Amino acid sequence: MSIKRSDIESIAHLARLALSEPEIPRYIDELSRILGLVEQLTRVDTSAVTPMAHPLPGQRQRLRADAVTETDQHQLYQRNAPQVSTGLYLVPRVIE
Amino acid sequence: MSELYARTVAELSQELRAGSVSSVELTRLFLARTQQYQSELNAFITISADSALEQAARADERLRAGTAGPLTGVPIAHKDIFCTRGEKTSCGSRMLANFISPYDATVVERLRAAGAVMIGKTNMDEFAMGSSNENSFFGPVRNPWDLTRVPGGSSGGSAAAVAARLVPAATGTDTGGSIRQPAALCGVTGIKPTYGRVSRYGMIAFASSLDQGGVLAIDAEDAALLLAAMAGFDQRDSTSVELPVPPLHATLEQPLKGVKIGLLKEFFDEGLDRGIEQCIQTGLSVLQAQGAVVREVSLPNLPLSVPTYYVVAPAECSSNLARFDGVRYGYRCEQPLDLLDLYQRTRSEGFGAEVKRRIMVGTYVLSAGYYDAYYLRAQRVRALISADFERAFHEVDVLLGPTTPTTAFELGAKTSDPVTMYLNDIYTIGANLAGLPAMSIPCGFVDGLPAGMQLIGPHFSEASLLNIAHRYQRETDWHLRLPSRFT
């Protein structure tokens, strides 16, 4: 499996990670090794196999009643926020 | 009788009810040990002395009032992946280094309600990604049996804390072996229940189809006591299983006559240390002497567990960790230029190397053009591995093999190549992929380092695993050995 520099740059962008210049060759090497390990999966014929979507057979997605179960606790939750003002999360200006 | 700090939860519980020691006294004892050995082991990220003593005082009231349960007043520790209200919950990451959880995880809430006293939060690999505890933002944990070696991971702090008897028991989580592998490397008992048995609510997510909370303890009886308090249906976890948990303690003593044990052929490969193999064979004879029947069982697709896992787990990790954006909670970079810069630098600075590596792999295998080739194929192979287990459980009651290929390795020995590190989990990952309960129990020593024997059972067979482990531990004392510098 050969990973190119452009692959690393586009994955990093999708993952919203900023990579420094010296990190790029390292990621090329490490991802190539990991994907090399994963190549083993092509050795087995899976054409007739249904992909496993849940670790327990026969489980169905449970739904809860459409009822209000949470109270407003935004002040408590926002104590962990890096920057808030009047109950709003602040980020750098998006629209000029 | 051994020193108080070396007793099991069951023994401490008896002392508490008999009134021969108070919870405040016990809590002080374990807090003192935790603080005394913190610089050597680095097993804890947070030590909560004040709140622990308050909880202990309340436990003593319950003990006096006669409303105490088996865990009331017993000091324990939580892996720092479980949210604890009003206390730092870092998950071993710079990203959450200052995060004070506004709520309790279900596991924390239930153990608190049972009266267990939390003395602190244990160190771990960042976001539970790692097999050596070297990926913690708060520095590595050291193995109590040899301070130059790793305790395993990701629940390395919990394993080291129990091994050194800084606490008699601790919680852990296991996504690919993160309870069983450190339990084996530190010489303690660890159980990863069936997927969905223990609520994931408030347990910081890594790979949601694999993550499962469990226990690290001195022996199987204690593991049963804690698990009984933690397990069971929880409305707040959408994959929590709606099945009653049988009384785990009640069946510990059942005789093993006629129990069919399958020796996992694929685990006795060329990578397995001969000394560990010897320990497993000896362990097996202890079970055979009690009437268990042994036969070899083959799971041909099991060797594909590691490659399958390293597609599925990074894929789920990249999706789960997308929530860390520097906006609502957690780390934020200095002076962001714009929103993209805020996201990118926050994540690059807030996550460590292994977490970023897995996010990158996960993003790659889920990206357009690669999804079928990697993710879908891995989920197909996962179905094959799961079917292998199901077939095996038509023939035998439980599968047995080593927990790890080697004993604890030296710090720094495997950090240069991620794939070498990943292969540590070669025997543990299968149970996660198939959602099966599994245990590791101490079964001997190789050159002074503990070896672990692994039991894997069918879905919801925790009681049988604990029963076999308990019967084994009645005949052996490997689980009671203590590293000499901590006596």
Side-chain angles (χ1 to χ4, degrees), chain B residues 12 78 111 265 329 341:
Chain B
L12 293 173
H78 284 301
L111 285 170
K265 178 170 169 272
Y329 52 87
D341 183 50

Side-chain angles (χ1 to χ4, degrees), chain B residues 119-340:
Chain B
I119 70 159
K121 308 286 294 285
T122 56
N123 204 343
M124 56 182 285
D125 282 300
E126 183 179 11
F127 285 103
M129 297 175 203
S131 311
S132 70
N133 225 294
E134 291 167 293
N135 297 333
S136 169
F137 175 64
F138 301 91
V141 176
R142 288 166 189 275
N143 191 313
W145 292 96
D146 179 346
L147 299 181
T148 67
R149 291 174 191 269
V150 303
S154 65
S155 309
S158 289
V162 175
R165 305 296 191 260
L166 309 186
V167 277
T171 55
T173 59
D174 191 316
T175 303
S178 281
I179 288 175
R180 292 161 285 155
Q181 187 255 15
L185 268 43
C186 289
V188 303
T189 302
I191 183 165
K192 175 203 100 71
T194 308
Y195 180 82
R197 204 40 137 173
V198 168
S199 171
R200 291 185 297 110
Y201 180 78
M203 188 178 110
I204 297 170
F206 156 18
S208 303
S209 80
L210 304 162
D211 295 343
Q212 178 60 204
V215 185
L216 296 104
I218 296 171
D219 64 15
E221 183 181 14
D222 286 2
L225 285 172
L226 265 85
L227 189 57
M230 289 159 59
F233 177 65
D234 179 15
Q235 189 78 43
R236 295 174 296 185
D237 170 0
S238 68
T239 57
S240 173
V241 176
E242 292 184 77
L243 280 178
V245 183
L248 301 171
H249 201 263
T251 47
L252 286 176
E253 300 288 346
Q254 267 180 16
L256 299 187
K257 191 161 170 46
V259 169
K260 284 177 280 184
I261 296 175
L263 206 55
L264 258 166
K265 178 170 169 272
E266 282 73 16
F267 282 9
F268 295 86
D269 55 5
E270 68 283 358
L272 176 62
D273 178 279
R274 292 301 137 218
I276 295 184
E277 182 171 359
Q278 195 54 54
C279 292
I280 302 292
Q281 295 296 350
T282 311
L284 206 53
S285 63
V286 172
L287 297 172
Q288 280 172 307
Q290 296 187 54
V293 189
V294 178
R295 58 182 291 187
E296 194 177 81
V297 175
S298 173
L299 279 71
N301 293 298
L302 200 54
L304 292 170
S305 295
V306 176
T308 303
Y309 180 84
Y310 280 98
V311 173
V312 175
E316 296 184 15
C317 136
S318 73
S319 168
N320 270 324
L321 271 58
R323 75 191 61 178
F324 297 101
D325 57 5
V327 175
R328 292 156 301 155
Y329 52 87
Y331 178 79
R332 173 185 281 201
C333 68
E334 298 285 340
Q335 308 289 326
L337 300 172
D338 54 29
L339 196 57
L340 184 64

